[in-house]
Amino acid sequence: MSLITVEGGRRLCGEIAVQSAKNSVLPILAATILSGDVCVIRACPRLRDVETATEILHYLGCDVHWEADDLVVDTATVDRCDIPENLMRQMRSSVIFLGAILARCGRADMSYPGGCELGPRPIDLHLAALRTLGAEIEECGGCLYCQGTHLRGREIVLSIPSVGATENAILAACGAEGTTTITNAAREPEICDLQDFLRKMGARVNGAGSSTVTVEGGARMHGCEHRCIADRIAASTYLAAAAATGGEICLREVNYRHVSTVTTALAQAGCRLRSEERMICLSSSGALRGISPVRTSPYPGFPTDAQAILMAALLRSHGTTVFVENIFENRYRHVPEFLRMGADVRLEGRVAVLCGVEKLCGTGVRATDLRGGAALVIAGLQADGITRIGDIYHIHRGYTRLVENLAQLGANIRYE
């Protein structure tokens, strides 16, 4: 399956369920280490990043196996506190294991993480938070050597609301003595999901979803069962694809509040949307219009992960849309691929100016990162002719059954 082939020109119509959120599953898999028991992740998506996380758990000594669509993790047998470089470099989120291993074992050794090349994403905030709790961290030769046998609750003040640093601080604080307060914490729904999971295990965590999270460390933890929230970026992808093709779709299992900035943008572009507690429906004529400037920012602002996806939906819109990327400096790597298809997008630093064109032409392109790859699929769905997308391993990092679901909705799409 080296290519995804898309023939444009078909409307997307129908109803599908949205997968569980990758960005919830990964920190929750790390959190299972704290239980020292058996945890079951219901309806866990079979993603490339999830496979990497399970390999890390196996390496640490855990028993991990699938039972149908559920992932069963037994962390009672953890006997290592290090992660080899080859596993760390497969995904950026591997760093989330740092706080959990430190809390469980009192020590953690690992290299710096890898992942999509979206520009500098230093883990300084992660390390500063752990040092505040009393961890001693030596950085040498691209590796981290962490000691934390006597972690103590403290006030952690994050300079920016980093999702990963918030999650690592929460996990490490579960193993610290006393109360930890995290100020300027990230507010993403995935933080709330992590809190829900930790509470099921017996942890005392409060405040997720706000800018202040408190953790009372030292709670006795145990195994549990959990189903993660729906993936808001996957939901945004299907909504954008339907909007671009003049389709009518309904998405099940989605909390509409989690995608409100994306649905607001699509409504401004001319789509009609209807939301219920766990469903979103969209209908579109396909004749979209340019919208007011889109500025990415931490939740509840417009998500950086949806920037490329919305841009793809607007490639044939009437008018001009300005995008301002405030999170990652290399988040426009998909734009040259759009230009190969006939799009009109001009870049100036962190600003992209999109002028809608009458038509796109299918051609050979390559996925440069996870969300950029999904954006190319959306572009191909509305292009004349055939689009062949290479380097699709990026897409497999975050989407399960993307091709199958789009085909179910009526797209002419397949693996080649």
Side-chain angles (χ1 to χ4, degrees):
M1 294 188 293
S2 58
L3 296 173
I4 291 177
T5 299
V6 186
E7 185 172 355
R10 293 195 180 184
R11 299 175 68 235
L12 300 186
C13 297
E15 180 179 311
I16 60 169
V18 176
Q19 68 188 61
S20 295
K22 173 181 88 82
N23 291 335
S24 275
V25 170
L26 298 179
I28 283 173
L29 287 177
T32 62
I33 294 171
L34 300 176
S35 73
D37 200 352
V38 178
C39 296
V40 181
I41 312 302
R42 298 293 184 192
C44 185
R46 293 179 181 252
L47 304 169
R48 186 166 173 263
D49 277 7
V50 171
E51 291 176 2
T52 300
T54 59
E55 289 176 22
I56 290 174
L57 290 168
H58 273 301
Y59 181 85
L60 294 172
C62 306
D63 178 22
V64 187
H65 65 276
W66 290 91
E67 293 183 0
D69 291 331
D70 301 333
L71 188 61
V72 181
V73 184
D74 185 350
T75 63
T77 53
V78 166
D79 57 6
R80 301 189 67 107
C81 59
D82 65 302
I83 302 177
E85 182 179 6
N86 66 305
L87 292 178
M88 287 296 296
R89 289 195 172 276
Q90 289 184 35
M91 67 173 183
R92 170 69 183 181
S93 300
S94 56
V95 73
I96 199 61
F97 282 88
L98 179 57
I101 296 173
L102 195 62
R104 170 77 183 269
C105 305
R107 178 181 173 181
D109 299 335
M110 59 186 63
S111 68
Y112 279 85
C116 291
E117 298 176 8
L118 302 177
R121 291 189 286 178
I123 62 172
D124 296 0
L125 291 178
H126 301 242
L127 305 185
L130 298 181
R131 285 178 170 131
T132 299
L133 295 175
E136 297 178 2
I137 303 175
E138 179 183 353
E139 301 175 62
C140 180
C143 294
L144 302 169
Y145 303 96
C146 311
Q147 294 282 349
T149 53
H150 299 290
L151 299 179
R152 295 186 181 278
R154 294 285 190 274
E155 180 180 7
I156 297 171
V157 181
L158 300 178
S159 58
I160 60 173
S162 162
V163 174
T166 299
E167 292 168 339
N168 249 330
I170 290 172
L171 295 177
C174 286
E177 296 180 16
T179 300
T180 297
T181 302
I182 305 166
T183 301
N184 198 28
R187 299 166 58 189
E188 273 73 0
E190 293 79 13
I191 304 290
C192 298
D193 207 19
L194 176 61
Q195 174 179 275
D196 290 345
F197 178 75
L198 289 169
R199 283 176 169 177
K200 289 179 181 179
M201 291 202 307
R204 297 186 291 264
V205 185
N206 293 284
S210 73
S211 58
T212 303
V213 177
T214 60
V215 182
E216 296 180 39
R220 183 178 180 85
M221 292 205 244
H222 50 75
C224 68
E225 297 183 4
H226 184 75
R227 178 166 182 162
C228 296
I229 59 174
D231 194 310
R232 56 195 172 99
I233 306 303
S236 299
T237 302
Y238 293 116
L239 291 172
T245 62
E248 296 184 21
I249 67 168
C250 287
L251 304 180
R252 301 192 307 273
E253 307 302 329
V254 182
N255 186 329
Y256 69 89
R257 300 174 187 86
H258 295 170
V259 293
S260 60
T261 52
V262 176
T263 55
T264 297
L266 292 174
Q268 188 181 356
C271 299
R272 296 177 299 279
L273 291 115
R274 176 173 56 85
S275 300
E276 299 177 5
E277 191 59 33
R278 300 194 65 80
M279 180 175 286
I280 302 174
C281 297
L282 176 145
S283 62
S284 167
S285 66
L288 303 182
R289 55 180 176 265
I291 62 176
S292 57
V294 178
R295 297 179 173 87
T296 64
S297 62
Y299 189 88
F302 192 91
T304 181
D305 280 357
Q307 173 254 107
I309 291 162
L310 180 62
M311 186 183 292
L314 297 175
L315 290 176
R316 294 188 304 127
S317 60
H318 299 288
T320 299
T321 301
V322 175
F323 291 81
V324 183
E325 175 55 57
N326 293 311
I327 307 298
F328 297 129
E329 63 182 48
N330 289 345
R331 199 89 212 220
Y332 291 131
R333 299 178 69 216
H334 50 279
V335 169
E337 305 303 306
F338 285 165
L339 299 182
R340 290 173 57 84
M341 302 177 70
D344 184 354
V345 185
R346 303 166 196 177
L347 298 179
E348 184 63 42
R350 291 182 177 267
V351 177
V353 180
L354 180 156
C355 297
V357 297
E358 184 176 344
K359 71 174 184 177
L360 300 171
C361 297
T363 187
V365 293
R366 68 181 188 89
T368 56
D369 56 75
L370 169 54
R371 306 306 174 184
L376 289 173
V377 173
I378 295 171
L381 290 170
Q382 54 186 310
D384 293 344
I386 296 176
T387 300
R388 290 184 172 86
I389 305 164
D391 290 348
I392 60 174
Y393 64 90
H394 286 297
I395 297 174
H396 291 156
R397 286 189 47 239
Y399 293 90
T400 178
R401 295 184 54 81
L402 178 65
V403 168
E404 293 84 350
N405 284 338
L406 290 172
Q408 178 184 327
L409 293 170
N412 189 345
I413 183 171
R414 64 185 183 278
Y415 290 111
E416 183 177 296

